[in-house]
Amino acid sequence: MSQTADTASPQDESDVLHRLSFLDRFLPLWIIVAMAAGLLLGSVLPGLQGVLDAVKIGQVSLPIALGLLLMMYPVLAKVRYDRLDTVTRDRRTLVLSLVLNWVLGPALMFALAWLMLPDLPEYRTGLIIVGLARCIAMVIIWNDLACGDREAAAVLVALNSVFQVLMFGVLGWFYLDVLPGWLGLDTTSINVSPWEIALSVVIFLGIPLAAGYLTRRLGERTRGREWYESRFLPRIGPVALYGLLFTIVVLFALQGETITARPLDVARIALPLLVYFAIMWAGSYAVGRAAGLSYPRTTTLAFTAAGNNFELAIAVAIGVFGVTSGQALAGVVGPLIEVPVLVALVYVSLWLRRRWSAAQDAGTAVQR
């Protein structure tokens, strides 16, 4: 895993937003516009749910299912699956990432959801699902902007993608059913089937994961990696955003009455998310620094631990609980909060990078 990402110039550091694509730069704005469009559509077409439910895949209407699959596929087509075999070269980073992503992250979101939303079980469940959906390819954008280790990020993202297929259903059952029972928490208002969670993961992550893997293998084999990453991926990249925005429009069209009647609920969902992102990023950064990792590796560790796969969280929430559920609404609030917070943390990372370099230079001067 190279560490050439640490060579970015100070001029590049001061221009973070301009290094984002036009669509990524204004992602929070597009989400807000999609929410408003959904509310307007719901008031104009009150019979929309009946139209959407005319054709279903399982419990999910066909148009929404297609939107969810389109949302996931481009992201998973970006993952470099051939880098998975390099994870054994840095076991320290690998172990820290697995512990932060699959032990501490879900446990922290579980605790915050129960502490801050004890009276809102649907939103609480939705947040726990967000905590279980670990980061995938979009985190590479934030990692690159913060001058993290690109190769390490690609490996950790690929690992998380595969691990989610295997473990999401199990962890969902544990955090939504088993652990609350052990702690004596009241879960009578929520009925969660681990098989429904597993089925949603297989459909909405397994299918696009297989498609993304095959697309990369075939694309690189026939046209080469340079063509695949510089020509093909930029063409399909916006499809993920279109799928996400379509899903948000439909969700808010169907939930318009609930949202307008209880606007403070959105703020209550946002608060634990803000706390979660801050603790996960700062805690992961501190762990990486204490473990003696370099700045690029520490930055990659922090962003891959703090980021979440909100596409999968939305898909699972809709697949298990329905598009009009509070769980689905909690999933949609996730990217609205995550994107601006992680962009802000890119600036914090670059500030820490300058302090890190200054400390290293001072240490070198003392040794001389």
Side-chain angles (χ1 to χ4, degrees):
M1 298 181 185
S2 67
Q3 303 199 17
T4 56
D6 198 29
T7 60
S9 67
Q11 183 178 2
D12 293 333
E13 294 177 8
S14 63
D15 202 21
V16 168
L17 287 179
H18 290 289
R19 287 193 280 156
L20 285 169
S21 70
F22 177 77
L23 291 176
D24 290 332
R25 191 184 314 166
F26 296 103
L27 182 55
L29 174 61
W30 308 140
I31 294 174
I32 292 172
V33 170
M35 290 176 175
L39 293 174
L40 178 61
L41 184 64
S43 64
V44 174
L45 299 175
L48 181 61
Q49 184 167 2
V51 176
L52 292 174
D53 288 343
V55 182
K56 287 188 173 183
I57 297 179
Q59 299 298 317
V60 183
S61 69
L62 180 59
I64 296 174
L66 291 175
L68 295 173
L69 291 172
L70 289 175
M71 186 169 65
M72 295 293 296
Y73 165 67
V75 177
L76 292 165
K78 295 179 181 180
V79 176
R80 292 187 176 181
Y81 299 95
D82 59 336
R83 300 290 179 85
L84 279 173
D85 60 350
T86 66
V87 295
T88 55
R89 298 180 186 177
D90 188 352
R91 294 186 178 180
R92 181 173 49 177
T93 301
L94 172 62
V95 171
L96 289 175
S97 179
L98 288 175
V99 171
L100 289 167
N101 271 289
W102 296 102
V103 179
L104 297 181
L108 175 62
M109 188 68 89
F110 174 87
L112 291 173
W114 273 98
L115 286 171
M116 297 186 178
L117 301 174
D119 57 328
L120 297 172
E122 290 191 359
Y123 299 149
R124 182 178 66 231
T125 300
L127 285 183
I128 293 172
I129 291 173
V130 171
L132 294 175
R134 309 313 303 165
C135 75
I136 54 173
M138 191 171 182
V139 78
I140 294 176
I141 296 174
W142 319 126
N143 180 74
D144 280 357
L145 291 172
C147 301
D149 188 322
R150 179 178 297 176
E151 189 172 330
V155 170
L156 295 178
V157 163
L159 186 66
N160 276 340
S161 300
V162 175
F163 203 77
Q164 282 182 94
V165 176
L166 302 175
M167 293 302 298
F168 193 101
V170 175
L171 291 174
W173 168 70
F174 176 75
Y175 279 103
L176 295 175
D177 187 16
V178 176
L179 185 57
W182 288 353
L183 298 176
L185 300 172
D186 180 20
T187 59
T188 55
S189 57
I190 296 295
N191 184 19
V192 182
S193 168
W195 303 114
E196 290 181 350
I197 294 176
L199 179 61
S200 293
V201 173
V202 169
I203 294 174
F204 296 113
L205 179 60
I207 292 175
L209 177 65
Y213 173 78
L214 291 174
T215 301
R216 179 173 278 277
R217 286 293 301 272
L218 294 174
E220 290 186 354
R221 183 177 298 176
T222 57
R223 303 293 295 273
R225 172 164 290 183
E226 182 178 356
W227 173 86
Y228 182 84
E229 295 194 344
S230 64
R231 302 288 296 278
F232 179 74
L233 288 182
R235 290 179 181 176
I236 67 169
V239 173
L241 176 60
Y242 303 149
L244 173 64
L245 295 180
F246 170 78
T247 303
I248 292 173
V249 168
V250 173
L251 191 150
F252 272 73
L254 299 179
Q255 294 217 27
E257 291 185 7
T258 302
I259 295 167
T260 53
R262 295 182 291 179
L264 289 180
D265 286 359
V266 175
R268 290 193 62 185
I269 295 170
L271 182 58
L273 284 168
L274 285 170
V275 175
Y276 170 84
F277 292 133
I279 293 177
M280 282 301 296
W281 187 89
S284 301
Y285 199 96
V287 167
R289 187 72 186 268
L293 299 181
S294 64
Y295 169 83
R297 290 286 172 85
T298 299
T299 298
T300 297
L301 186 70
F303 278 98
T304 52
N308 288 84
N309 182 357
F310 50 78
E311 296 96 338
L312 177 61
I314 294 170
V316 170
I318 290 176
V320 177
F321 300 101
V323 72
T324 60
S325 65
Q327 291 88 343
L329 178 60
V332 169
V333 175
L336 180 64
I337 303 302
E338 177 175 345
V339 173
V341 168
L342 291 187
V343 169
L345 289 174
V346 168
Y347 286 100
V348 176
S349 292
L350 295 174
W351 176 77
L352 289 171
R353 178 175 179 262
R354 291 192 293 271
R355 290 178 59 88
W356 194 310
S357 300
Q360 287 180 334
D361 292 342
T364 301
V366 170
Q367 290 179 356
R368 290 177 180 176

